[in-house]
Amino acid sequence: MLSWIGAVILPLSGLLLSLPARADVKARSCGEVRQAYGAKGFSLADIPYQEIAGEHLRICPQEYTCCTTEMEDKLSQQSKLEFENLVEETSHFVRNTFVSRHKKFDEFFRELLENAEKSLNDMFVRTYGMLYMQNSEVFQDLFTELKRYYTGGNVNLEEMLNDFWARLLERMFQLINPQYHFSEDYLECVSKYTDQLKPFGDVPRKLKIQVTRAFIAARTFVQGLTVGREVANRVSKVSPTPGCIRALMKMLYCPYCRGLPTVRPCNNYCLNVMKGCLANQADLDTEWNLFIDAMLLVAERLEGPFNIESVMDPIDVKISEAIMNMQENSMQVSAKVFQGCGQPKPAPALRSARSAPENFNTRFRPYNPEERPTTAAGTSLDRLVTDIKEKLKLSKKVWSALPYTICKDESVTAGTSNEEECWNGHSKARYLPEIMNDGLTNQINNPEVDVDITRPDTFIRQQIMALRVMTNKLKNAYNGNDVNFQDASDESSGSGSGSGCMDDVCPTEFEFVTTEAPAVDSDRREVGSAATQLGHSLLSWSLLCTGLALQRLCR
């Protein structure tokens, strides 16, 4: 009989010992959790007044808890939303850098082109009067094509510039030979002699080098700012995986469920969660850093030999110099054209009364530098480039640094100085696991986030490819090459469509850009008269002679 009673009592005593100790203790209040939960904007109807058994929990520890199933679901969504906001806020600097600087550079370049066109028009109206206005579409078309190229149009700069000089030669040739009538076929023959005769001196060659390099660099740099802006905007809008959402809930709000709403996650715990959730973003870093390096290289070109401001500000003076060269050599040019294309027919009597070359020449007068427009967008290219270089350098490694930046936020974690009094995913204690390295493949043993390292994020891979393509364009722009018009012959010759010579191939051309371009001070680029700015003795003599209407004596 006693043995039977013992057989019953012993199992019962074992069962009692196995019950949670809390069964004999009064359940703790959830008052502090209710207050914190309500502060998030949630209904207090979801939350109990005292702890309840936690078998229903799917993410947090299934111990006595202040969380119901509804609370866990809502807090899980809240953690996802907060994570998305954290990433967007943390990447705000890099996004703002590309958005604001793209706007500034684009505004500057567009206004620079507008100012240059207006300056040329004003100068040529005063200098050549009606003769210019009758042929102004040649110059208008030049600026139209330059603007179209800058805005992404399919324009071959070298061909366009060659066409401009050919058209200008045709018009000039008719003006200096008003006694003849020229058919379209004859004028086409004239334009074929442009390279051979060099009627405009060396200005077209030098200006072509300057304009192509400067415009390629400017357009590519602004395109780079656009790509950087788009990539940053896209990557900052994360879509956390189910495994990431579970890890975020466990880190951010399971302390609520455990009755510890004021205890924040351990810093290293946060790092592992963020490295797991942002593993693909970290993989963007390598290509991003190469892209930033390429942007910095082109920025240096914009400061130096490819400075579009130093090219466009005096372009009117340079073109005027070319016209003067044509006037100076008009007799020799005409003779060689007549020899190559044949003697033209005399013009009708009505046409012979047209303005004589002397009238065309004597209308020229030196241009007052004080009449030139102010700098574009109220600033200078040097200032813009100096500013963007500083910002770009700060943007390097931004994606792999996201976990560290987020976890450094005192509103997110307990910080590195409070490693014993922080939430480690299970309780209020030190976090022991090691910190994972950056990138997707390094998350194979991440203790906090279930990461599928065999399936890289397709969206991130698309951004990596976009950066790679842009980096290649920037490298080409650094060497003066436009990849839109580059082929095998261009690469081998260095003189193909849209290409520029390397420094060691054409040092004299680089020298022209750096020594003959007007100096830039911090507030304003001053362009003097044609003679003083260009420093060409021939032009100085021509200006003096023209201004005094003494061309015959000068000759």
Side-chain angles (χ1 to χ4, degrees), residues 161-179:
L161 289 169
N162 289 340
D163 183 59
F164 164 74
W165 292 111
R167 289 179 66 194
L168 185 58
L169 174 60
E170 291 178 10
R171 300 298 178 95
M172 288 283 298
F173 192 76
Q174 293 177 82
L175 290 173
I176 63 177
N177 293 286
Q179 68 273 32

Side-chain angles (χ1 to χ4, degrees), residues 5 8 16 20 55 100-101 129 218 225 255 273 295 418 434 444 507 534:
I5 293 173
V8 173
L16 290 171
E55 293 87 351
S100 62
R101 271 54 188 183
L225 291 173
V273 171
M295 287 288 289
N418 202 9
E434 65 176 333
I444 187 170
L534 293 171

Side-chain angles (χ1 to χ4, degrees), residues 218-283:
R219 181 172 87 161
T220 308
F221 192 75
V222 170
Q223 287 177 344
L225 291 173
T226 303
V227 170
R229 179 190 67 190
E230 295 304 312
V231 169
N233 282 336
R234 290 167 182 166
V235 176
S236 63
K237 290 178 172 56
V238 294
S239 298
T241 63
C244 172
I245 296 172
R246 287 179 61 85
L248 291 168
M249 169 61 193
K250 187 178 177 183
M251 181 183 82
L252 296 174
Y253 287 112
C254 282
Y256 279 50
C257 297
R258 294 288 291 133
L260 303 169
T262 61
V263 179
R264 291 175 183 162
C266 300
N267 185 72
N268 290 354
Y269 175 33
C270 172
L271 284 174
N272 273 343
V273 171
M274 292 301 159
K275 285 186 178 234
C277 288
L278 298 170
N280 284 283
Q281 279 75 7
D283 282 346

Side-chain angles (χ1 to χ4, degrees), residues 118-308:
K118 182 179 183 302
S119 176
L120 183 142
N121 184 70
D122 291 347
M123 176 183 179
F124 278 37
V125 166
R126 296 175 188 225
T127 302
Y128 303 114
M130 188 59 66
L131 291 175
Y132 162 70
M133 289 186 275
Q134 290 172 345
N135 297 278
S136 61
E137 75 276 4
V138 175
F139 303 92
Q140 291 169 359
D141 289 348
L142 169 66
F143 282 95
T144 297
E145 289 300 285
L146 288 174
K147 291 173 188 175
R148 194 162 74 87
Y149 174 84
Y150 169 72
T151 55
N154 188 28
V155 177
N156 186 314
L157 282 176
E158 291 194 5
E159 288 184 2
M160 182 271 292
L161 289 169
N162 289 340
D163 183 59
F164 164 74
W165 292 111
R167 289 179 66 194
L168 185 58
L169 174 60
E170 291 178 10
R171 300 298 178 95
M172 288 283 298
F173 192 76
Q174 293 177 82
L175 290 173
I176 63 177
N177 293 286
Q179 68 273 32
Y180 296 109
H181 169 71
F182 301 101
S183 65
E184 289 296 323
D185 289 340
Y186 196 97
L187 291 175
E188 186 175 343
C189 177
V190 171
S191 66
K192 291 179 181 178
Y193 279 83
T194 306
D195 291 336
Q196 181 181 339
L197 297 176
K198 298 191 184 307
F200 300 110
D202 207 28
V203 173
R205 184 189 70 84
K206 291 179 177 180
L207 202 58
K208 184 194 298 185
I209 293 168
Q210 288 182 305
V211 168
T212 53
R213 287 171 167 173
F215 270 79
I216 289 167
R219 181 172 87 161
T220 308
F221 192 75
V222 170
Q223 287 177 344
L225 291 173
T226 303
V227 170
R229 179 190 67 190
E230 295 304 312
V231 169
N233 282 336
R234 290 167 182 166
V235 176
S236 63
K237 290 178 172 56
V238 294
S239 298
T241 63
C244 172
I245 296 172
R246 287 179 61 85
L248 291 168
M249 169 61 193
K250 187 178 177 183
M251 181 183 82
L252 296 174
Y253 287 112
C254 282
Y256 279 50
C257 297
R258 294 288 291 133
L260 303 169
T262 61
V263 179
R264 291 175 183 162
C266 300
N267 185 72
N268 290 354
Y269 175 33
C270 172
L271 284 174
N272 273 343
V273 171
M274 292 301 159
K275 285 186 178 234
C277 288
L278 298 170
N280 284 283
Q281 279 75 7
D283 282 346
L284 188 74
D285 230 32
T286 299
E287 204 62 50
W288 176 266
N289 293 339
L290 292 173
F291 161 71
I292 295 295
D293 286 339
M295 287 288 289
L296 288 169
L297 285 174
V298 176
E300 290 177 4
R301 288 297 208 200
L302 288 174
E303 286 181 309
F306 296 3
N307 188 317
I308 191 174

Side-chain angles (χ1 to χ4, degrees), residues 91-105:
S91 59
H92 173 76
F93 167 77
V94 68
R95 288 184 290 113
N96 183 63
T97 291
F98 281 91
V99 170
S100 62
R101 271 54 188 183
H102 174 271
K103 182 179 178 181
K104 285 187 176 182
F105 271 88

Side-chain angles (χ1 to χ4, degrees), residues 358-394:
E358 287 78 11
N359 291 334
F360 174 67
N361 290 335
T362 55
R363 287 194 59 85
F364 186 86
R365 69 177 178 83
Y367 194 65
N368 187 347
E370 294 180 0
E371 299 173 9
R372 300 188 66 84
T374 56
T375 55
T379 185
S380 71
L381 184 59
D382 291 340
R383 285 179 178 176
L384 288 178
V385 172
T386 299
D387 170 70
I388 191 65
K389 282 169 66 178
E390 293 175 359
K391 299 296 189 298
L392 288 174
K393 289 173 184 176
L394 294 174

